[in-house]
Amino acid sequence: MFDVLIIGGGVSSVSCALVLGSAQKKAFAQDKNIAIITHQKASSLQDAIFYNAYGVKSGKLGSEILTESTAQLQENYPHITQIENEKVISVSGESGNFIVTTNKNSYKTRIIVIGIGSSNLFLISGLEQYLEPHKKSLAEKNRIQLKNNDQKVAEGIYVVGTLAGHRSQFSIAAGSGAAVATDILTLWNNGIETHIHDSIR
């Protein structure tokens, strides 16, 4: 049983995983079992090159970030399970007892974070009732989002990145994932507002 299972290997999903992982020394997070399904076959990062993203070297390729970010996650927070080469097919159950089924396995988790992009080819069974047109995208692009209130779709289900209704911008996606991570950390910390900063002090 995972405490959190993140679906997606792009900016928002990995950002969420990094922040959750960085809380490992906190008493309320040190025993949490976290995983991320990094299947990201159609990420827009694969065609991206960056000149306007804060902290990212000019000319950096998105395809490099896709691989380097999961390597960073593995190096810094190896306690987070990375599940590769599996595509999520369905979600069932309820908060505290979800079942996420892929093309290869089934996983139990208490909380789900979904960050797979806003393509109208969304194919995760069990989440159809939350689909709606993307509110910040041009109508002709036929983008979708999951209905949410401050990135919370339903009890135990969170959404990040463009699928949460955000615009497709690197910095927005990273912030979206980090925001949901701090919401989950606050939940684990009995509702006491929580954020995690590394420091050289």
Side-chain angles (χ1 to χ4, degrees), residues 149-166:
N149 181 12
D150 194 22
Q151 300 191 157
K152 187 174 183 179
V153 176
E155 202 60 41
I157 303 177
Y158 296 85
V159 61
V160 294
T162 56
L163 193 61
H166 297 299

Side-chain angles (χ1 to χ4, degrees), residues 3 20-34 79 184-190 192 194-196:
D3 291 286
L20 288 175
S22 69
Q24 62 183 324
K25 294 180 181 178
K26 299 290 185 180
F28 58 80
Q30 62 186 8
D31 63 342
K32 300 302 184 186
N33 193 6
I34 304 164
H79 63 287
I184 293 170
L185 294 175
T186 297
L187 180 68
W188 289 346
N189 195 26
N190 296 315
I192 300 171
T194 304
H195 48 267
I196 305 297

Side-chain angles (χ1 to χ4, degrees), residues 12-13 114-115 117 134 151 159-167 172-174 176-177:
S12 59
S13 299
I114 307 163
H134 198 286
Q151 300 191 157
V159 61
V160 294
T162 56
L163 193 61
H166 297 299
R167 292 189 177 92
I172 295 173
S176 169

Side-chain angles (χ1 to χ4, degrees), residues 21-118:
S22 69
Q24 62 183 324
K25 294 180 181 178
K26 299 290 185 180
F28 58 80
Q30 62 186 8
D31 63 342
K32 300 302 184 186
N33 193 6
I34 304 164
I36 179 170
I37 297 175
T38 57
H39 177 81
Q40 193 65 290
K41 186 175 180 180
S43 172
S44 57
L45 273 184
Q46 291 167 338
D47 300 318
I49 185 169
F50 291 97
Y51 296 99
N52 67 348
Y54 181 81
V56 177
K57 185 178 178 180
S58 289
K60 186 73 173 177
L61 296 176
S63 57
E64 294 173 329
I65 292 175
L66 273 174
T67 56
E68 290 172 4
S69 62
T70 52
Q72 175 189 358
L73 181 64
Q74 175 61 38
E75 179 180 352
N76 292 336
Y77 311 115
H79 63 287
I80 293 184
T81 302
Q82 292 193 41
I83 301 167
E84 300 177 347
N85 304 315
E86 294 188 30
K87 184 175 181 179
V88 174
I89 296 170
S90 68
V91 168
S92 60
E94 57 188 18
S95 181
N97 191 29
F98 290 111
I99 297 174
V100 175
T101 302
T102 73
N103 58 326
K104 297 179 180 179
N105 293 294
S106 290
Y107 303 96
K108 291 184 178 181
T109 184
R110 293 182 174 87
I111 295 173
I112 299 170
V113 178
I114 307 163
I116 59 170
S118 56

Side-chain angles (χ1 to χ4, degrees), residues 42 116-123 131 141-144 162-163:
I116 59 170
S118 56
S119 167
N120 63 352
L121 299 177
F122 186 92
L123 294 173
L131 294 176
K141 290 191 174 182
N142 293 318
R143 299 294 184 189
I144 53 93
T162 56
L163 193 61

